[in-house]
């Protein structure tokens, strides 16, 4: 990858992550990068946001006790 393109991508992700933190989304940098990549691939951002919100409402799975 071209170093300039990589630098721009990193700066864009840094900015998006900063905005995500201000908005208290609870998304980590890796998850945010995946969501951005999905949007770039044509996934509807509003539908994606709805799925993420729904997943956030689900209680965490209970650990399996042997």
């Amino acid at each position: 990858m071209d170093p300039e393109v990589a630098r721009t991508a990193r700066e864009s992700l840094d900015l998006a992550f900063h905005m995500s933190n201000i908005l208290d989304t609870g998304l980590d940098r890796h998850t945010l990068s995946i969501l951005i990549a999905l949007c770039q691939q044509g996934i509807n951002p509003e539908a994606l946001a709805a799925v993420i919100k729904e997943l956030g409402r689900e209680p965490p799975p209970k650990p399996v006790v042997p």
Side-chain angles (χ1 to χ4, degrees), residues 51-64:
V51 169
I52 297 301
K53 285 181 184 178
E54 187 63 31
L55 289 173
R57 288 187 209 148
E58 292 183 13
K62 294 182 180 180
V64 177

Side-chain angles (χ1 to χ4, degrees), residues 28-50:
D28 60 46
R29 187 178 300 266
H30 179 71
T31 303
L32 187 59
S33 69
I34 292 170
L35 295 173
I36 291 169
L38 288 170
C39 290
Q40 290 172 337
Q41 293 298 317
I43 300 295
N44 181 320
E46 291 180 12
L48 191 55

Side-chain angles (χ1 to χ4, degrees), residues 7 9-20 29 32:
R7 185 182 64 77
R10 190 172 43 255
E11 288 175 357
S12 296
L13 180 58
D14 288 345
L15 179 59
F17 184 63
H18 184 67
M19 291 183 337
S20 174
R29 187 178 300 266
L32 187 59

